[in-house]
């Protein structure tokens, strides 16, 4: 797999809950020309676009650490886990919050 000649991103969003402080948005970026041997950056914010400082993203069958609102996932792991539908984000000391792929 190789990304096209320009960056593109996909977004995952928490399923609406009662606690606004638990809402999250993950933007996973596929940088231009990257292949399965490269890393894909992702950014985690709240719904108001403020970075979420720390947590763990459960995506594509793996767990990915978030520090200062950012993390990385190996492209090969993303491709290998594409059949895994579960998406969760967990902030330290809180319960995991489920989410899903969004479309504009």
């Amino acid at each position: 797999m190789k990304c096209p000649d320009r960056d593109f991103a996909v977004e995952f969003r928490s399923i609406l809950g009662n606690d606004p402080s638990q809402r999250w948005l993950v933007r996973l970026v596929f940088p231009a020309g990257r292949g399965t041997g490269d890393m894909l950056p992702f950014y985690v914010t709240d719904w108001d676009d403020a970075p979420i400082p720390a947590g763990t993203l459960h995506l594509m069958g793996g767990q990915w650490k978030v520090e200062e609102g950012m993390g990385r996932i190996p492209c090969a792991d993303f491709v290998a886990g594409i059949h895994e539908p579960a998406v969760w984000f967990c902030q330290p000391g809180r319960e995991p919050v489920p989410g899903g792929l969004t479309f504009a």
Side-chain angles (χ1 to χ4, degrees), residues 23-72:
R23 296 177 185 160
W24 53 265
L25 174 75
V26 171
R27 182 171 290 118
L28 177 66
V29 179
F30 293 81
R34 297 281 174 94
T36 53
D38 293 308
M39 299 296 282
L40 304 174
F42 64 86
Y43 305 91
V44 184
T45 65
D46 63 17
W47 284 11
D48 294 321
D49 211 29
I52 295 178
T56 304
L57 175 64
H58 300 252
L59 178 69
M60 303 301 168
Q63 297 180 23
W64 316 103
K65 190 162 194 76
V66 172
E67 294 176 343
E68 298 181 21
M70 298 180 291
R72 299 182 327 153

